[in-house]
Amino acid sequence: MTQTTQAAARANRPGPAPRRRIHRAWYVAAVAFVTIIGAAAFRSVPGLLMDPLHREFGWSRGTIGLAVSVNLALYGLTAPFAAALMDRYGIRRVVAVALTVIALGSGLAVWMTAAWQLILYWGFLVGLGSGSMALAFAATVTNRWFTERRGLVTGILTAASASGQLIFLPLLSWMVENHDWRPAAITVSLTALAVVPFVWLLLRDHPADVGLAPYGAKEFVPKPPPVTGAARRALTVLFKAARTGPFWLLAGTFAICGASTNGLIQTHFVPAAHDHGMPITAAASLLAVIGVFDVVGTIFSGWLTDRFDARRLLGAYYALRGISLLFLPILLAPDVRPPMLFFIVFYGLDWVATVPPTLALCREHYGDDSAIVFGWVLASHQIGAALVAFLGGLTRDLTGTYDVVWYASGALCAVAALMALVIRRRT
């Protein structure tokens, strides 16, 4: 009788709680994070190659800047259509092909002997591949795999772009300065290829592919059929938005944003600092530090956007950025001094702080079409970056200095601040 009672007690005793498995969505987000980090790093490498290519081949900085401008323009113009391709063929296939294209472009660059090859390999191939893994990729992954924590995941994936600079730039600049630019190009190629197996094994197009509901969803969500008209819708939304004033003001301000960040600092800061005697590794490390504070500034800007007028925030961001660029010519020196560190921290906080208020204004004015409208506004960002990447190098060739470029960019930021303030509010 006693043994029976003890056996029953053991049977009724609660066992250990079942282990909670990590949802597959977080693995997908992790792969997306690594992929976006790589895409950001691949785009930033040409800025490190400007001086070595100029010395070895005698190409002008304007010619090298043209290749960078093609890269930046394709990065922006590809994004709206990359989302359509993902709806048609799936995330995994598009990203795997994009990484392979980047590896091909960077690998072929080792054997280039003419300037047109630089434009083809680094401008066209790397730009096309990295553009397929821009914000459209992050938005697609977040929308399909997450119902809860979307804001958190979107912020993390957006910050991955800045993290790419932090991880890769110091290493690649060390290779360029101590060995040659070719090991840096091979490193980019091998890194892109190394990510492909993880994409193919861990990335899935939709939770339904593995029999799961999206993270946070209370019921199973079937996989939608392939969408064949997504590209047509992207163009339709563009033509519709182009008939409104706020679209052109937002596109104009974001074009200046790209011109004063990716096109200017990301492309020309390292060679400009090197002109003043600063080692390439030190200049690239400063650029990487911008990426650190970029993450902090973006998150804080999102918090401010929830509480203040987005137009006034944009006006303040562009005005402060313009003022900082006006001081940059007197801060450049052979070594890193405290005023330069202050500029790096200040500029890093403002680097992509413009994204949350710009996206908020797109939502305010364009509602359900806001994501696509923002994709086209992002394209204008990259077109502005492309123009300054080329014109900055051309100006350096003609004048022997970057000073005019810094002053002109500061004036453009003042124009952007005024454009942001005149955007009308939608009641």
Side-chain angles (χ1 to χ4, degrees), residues 22-161:
I22 299 175
H23 196 283
R24 181 67 176 267
W26 293 108
Y27 293 109
V28 173
V31 174
F33 182 85
V34 172
T35 304
I36 294 172
I37 282 179
F42 305 151
R43 286 190 300 109
S44 62
V45 170
L48 302 177
L49 305 184
M50 191 165 289
D51 284 331
L53 293 178
H54 175 69
R55 289 194 302 267
E56 179 170 340
F57 298 105
W59 299 336
S60 68
R61 288 175 174 80
T63 299
I64 301 170
L66 177 61
V68 178
S69 70
V70 172
N71 179 294
L72 293 171
L74 280 177
Y75 180 83
L77 294 173
T78 303
F81 298 98
L85 289 173
M86 290 177 187
D87 288 337
R88 179 68 179 87
Y89 298 105
I91 300 174
R92 183 170 60 162
R93 292 180 181 176
V94 172
V95 174
V97 170
L99 287 167
T100 304
V101 169
I102 290 174
L104 181 65
S106 182
L108 289 174
V110 174
W111 291 282
M112 65 183 177
T113 56
W116 68 265
Q117 294 170 332
L118 174 68
I119 297 172
L120 174 62
Y121 300 152
W122 276 105
F124 185 78
L125 292 179
V126 176
L128 192 65
S130 59
S132 300
M133 298 178 293
L135 291 179
F137 170 49
T140 303
V141 168
T142 304
N143 291 341
R144 291 187 182 184
W145 280 89
F146 291 86
T147 299
E148 295 180 353
R149 312 280 183 174
R150 278 183 174 176
L152 174 64
V153 176
T154 301
I156 292 173
L157 295 183
T158 302
S161 180

Side-chain angles (χ1 to χ4, degrees), residues 236-253:
T236 301
V237 170
L238 170 63
F239 295 143
K240 181 180 176 181
R243 293 195 292 267
T244 65
F247 172 79
W248 293 106
L249 290 171
L250 289 169
T253 56

